[in-house]
């Protein structure tokens, strides 16, 4: 799964309000939130990878193991090393 990085749309699509259908009022109601969309409705992205024909596999780079430098570190050590605020403590459990 590929998730886009949040950004502003040049066409300001990210500011489009989110509207939901209210079956009681029989009309669309604004939720007060922006959609955050950066593409037109129905627009798609296509991702392709090179293939290794001798092995019959795609070359994605996903088979490469990346070491996690924080794996065996204590939370306070990571916090100090990266100068993290106290807001990050909620994500440690």
């Amino acid at each position: 799964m590929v998730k886009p990085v949040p950004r502003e749309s040049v066409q300001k699509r990210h500011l489009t309000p989110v509207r939901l259908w209210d079956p009681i009022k029989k009309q669309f109601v604004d939720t007060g939130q922006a959609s955050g969309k950066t593409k037109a409705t129905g627009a798609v992205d296509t991702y392709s990878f090179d293939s290794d024909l001798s092995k019959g596999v795609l070359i994605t780079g996903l088979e490469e193991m990346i070491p996690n430098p924080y794996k065996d570190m204590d939370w306070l050590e990571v916090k100090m090393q990266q100068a993290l605020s106290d807001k990050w403590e909620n994500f440690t459990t």
Side-chain angles (χ1 to χ4, degrees):
M1 179 179 289
V2 178
K3 294 200 175 218
V5 176
R7 63 181 176 88
E8 290 186 4
S9 167
V10 176
Q11 296 85 5
K12 305 294 181 201
R13 286 190 183 104
H14 64 285
L15 300 175
T16 305
V18 175
R19 297 171 47 186
L20 299 175
W21 178 256
D22 186 340
I24 296 169
K25 294 180 182 178
K26 298 194 186 305
Q27 64 183 12
F28 283 99
V29 179
D30 280 338
T31 63
Q33 297 176 343
S35 68
K37 287 185 173 186
T38 55
K39 295 184 184 154
T41 302
V44 297
D45 284 328
T46 303
Y47 300 99
S48 60
F49 298 97
D50 291 330
S51 59
D52 184 344
L53 297 177
S54 65
K55 296 179 184 176
V57 297
L58 296 175
I59 303 170
T60 63
L62 297 174
E63 64 279 349
E64 181 182 347
M65 294 296 291
I66 306 296
N68 181 352
Y70 307 108
K71 180 179 178 187
D72 295 321
M73 290 178 75
D74 182 56
W75 154 243
L76 290 175
E77 189 178 355
V78 175
K79 182 179 176 183
M80 296 295 289
Q81 183 182 25
Q82 299 300 323
L84 298 175
S85 73
D86 290 335
K87 293 178 183 177
W88 284 92
E89 282 200 47
N90 295 335
F91 298 108
T92 60
T93 56

